[in-house]
Amino acid sequence: MYPKAGNNKIYDLVILGGGPAGLTAAIYGGRANLSTLVLEQMVTGGEIATTDQLENYPGFPQGISGAEFGQLLEQQAVRFGAEITSASIEEVDAEGDVKRVSTSRGDFYSRTLIIATGTSPRLLGVPGEEKYRGRGISFCATCDGFFFRGKKVAVVGGGDSAVKEALYLTRFAREVILIHRRDELRAVSALQKQILGHPQVKFLWDTVVTEFKGNQNLTTLIVKNVKDSTSAELSVDGVFLYVGRIPNTSFLKGVETDPQGYIITSEEMETPVPGLFAAGDVRRKFLRQAITAAADGAVAAMMAVRYLE
Ligand code: NAP
């Protein structure tokens, strides 16, 4: 038996995740007069809210801070009638006409669902990583960079995130050491141009971190050169890990994903489950950016409208 609307409300659209994909879906859902609820675990804006500057979103020629961008999306979604609730998602039952989302705040019911839960940082899985998480190991330069004013920090990874955040950290840290497992960066050339030759940045190429050590706080990285297998100790005050991301789909059962766990959808954001859509970084796609997330969110919401009709 499903709960009756009004008692335990059945929404037209529940959106899991309040990043650019989820909040854009909420804007479109609200404007289409759907009763719309966004469930967000952390802060609205999602991953982008922890980015210092968003430089490539059309319409902001001078860039915009990630936090401000997130707030603007939220205001716009609320203006069109969307509700936003903070809750962490535990389980989703998307079969049937009314779908159930079990969360830390109880169960929510909806006729359509959009999964826009994005991704989380990938871990290295080496000794000391859990122990020193928040005690010298960080995943957010924008949040924690300030604490390393005048200090020596390392950044692990060679992609856009690692390079962008390493550059951001040069505002605070006296020295930034970028540790990459190959001898060539993966980041786009515009970012490479900024970091290669930067006076505050040193590079440890062909190198991986094999252990995090310290006392109460992290003090030392054990690093290994993958070419000659030699290991060395590197003293640091902090380290920022940017070694890629993993999709947030652990609460979802019976939905097709690719081998990395990204949800497979049609070009219209449909999953094989009627009334269940996915949008943004959690979806298998070519380009994971705020602009493509927003576009996915718009399409998913309009597909929800069509499904309800
Ligand atoms: P990413 O592109 O997947 O890069 C991950 C980096 O970590 C790679 O350099 C990879 O090395 C390295 N790595 C992976 N596993 C590792 C391990 N176990 N040990 C050591 N190193 C490891 O991830 P991302 O930089 O987070 O970017 C994710 C997506 O967001 C990308 O599509 C990116 O373009 C986008 N993004 C865009 C911007 C922007 O400003 N436009 C900013 C941030 C992110 P290899 O290179 O050897 O594989």
Side-chain angles (χ1 to χ4, degrees):
M1 276 295 288
Y2 295 123
K4 289 193 183 69
N7 181 11
N8 221 336
K9 181 171 176 172
I10 300 174
Y11 288 89
D12 294 324
L13 172 61
V14 167
I15 298 159
L16 313 188
L23 291 174
T24 304
I27 292 166
Y28 277 71
R31 274 175 66 86
N33 235 353
L34 305 188
S35 57
T36 300
L37 172 69
V38 180
L39 297 170
E40 168 57 44
Q41 183 170 2
M42 310 280 277
V43 286
T44 44
E47 170 67 12
I48 216 76
T50 66
T51 303
D52 173 46
Q53 277 287 109
L54 186 54
E55 300 278 10
N56 55 2
Y57 200 93
F60 298 99
Q62 305 307 322
I64 180 170
S65 92
E68 189 185 353
F69 182 71
Q71 283 162 14
L72 291 173
L73 287 178
E74 177 181 334
Q75 284 169 22
Q76 203 170 352
V78 169
R79 183 179 147 222
F80 291 118
E83 295 171 38
I84 300 177
T85 294
S86 166
S88 87
I89 294 137
E90 288 161 1
E91 198 184 31
V92 170
D93 179 2
E95 300 295 332
D97 290 344
V98 176
K99 295 146 190 349
R100 177 176 50 82
V101 183
S102 300
T103 77
S104 53
R105 290 266 180 103
D107 289 354
F108 294 90
Y109 296 89
S110 183
R111 296 188 200 285
T112 61
L113 289 182
I114 297 175
I115 312 287
T117 41
T119 59
S120 294
R122 179 184 287 136
L123 303 178
L124 289 178
V126 301
E129 195 170 31
E130 278 308 318
K131 181 172 179 189
Y132 293 110
R133 206 176 165 154
R135 294 170 177 270
I137 299 178
S138 170
F139 300 89
C140 180
T142 315
C143 320
D144 300 330
F146 183 80
F147 300 115
F148 295 94
R149 195 172 276 272
K151 303 258 167 90
K152 177 178 167 187
V153 299
V155 172
V156 184
D160 288 346
S161 300
V163 171
K164 197 161 186 267
E165 303 307 326
L167 285 166
Y168 177 76
L169 286 165
T170 60
R171 296 187 200 179
F172 309 100
R174 81 169 186 276
E175 185 179 351
V176 177
I177 299 164
L178 192 125
I179 302 172
H180 184 34
R181 64 182 178 182
R182 294 189 288 136
D183 61 0
E184 196 185 354
L185 294 171
R186 175 181 290 280
V188 293
S189 62
L191 286 168
Q192 291 201 27
K193 274 191 195 130
Q194 289 179 58
I195 201 160
L196 294 169
H198 192 292
Q200 274 162 274
V201 183
K202 291 199 176 120
F203 296 87
L204 271 184
W205 301 111
D206 300 311
T207 300
V208 292
V209 176
T210 55
E211 190 174 352
F212 298 98
K213 290 172 97 169
N215 25 61
Q216 278 294 88
N217 294 315
L218 176 81
T219 58
T220 308
L221 306 181
I222 308 296
V223 292
K224 185 173 118 183
N225 183 300
V226 293
K227 289 222 160 125
D228 61 17
S229 290
T230 53
S231 286
E233 289 197 355
L234 179 68
S235 300
V236 291
D237 297 298
V239 62
F240 292 79
L241 304 186
Y242 287 106
V243 292
R245 314 213 30 111
I246 46 171
N248 295 321
T249 52
S250 59
F251 52 83
L252 205 57
K253 306 223 162 42
V255 172
E256 196 187 357
T257 64
D258 73 2
Q260 285 76 45
Y262 291 99
I263 299 172
I264 298 173
T265 69
S266 70
E267 214 171 305
E268 284 76 34
M269 312 303 143
E270 298 156 294
T271 72
V273 181
L276 178 71
F277 306 89
D281 284 6
V282 76
R283 195 171 77 82
R284 183 180 71 176
K285 63 195 299 192
F286 163 63
L287 185 63
R288 292 194 173 86
Q289 298 275 296
I291 183 71
T292 59
D296 283 5
V299 173
M302 295 320 287
M303 288 302 290
V305 171
R306 184 184 282 188
Y307 169 85
L308 290 167
E309 280 168 3

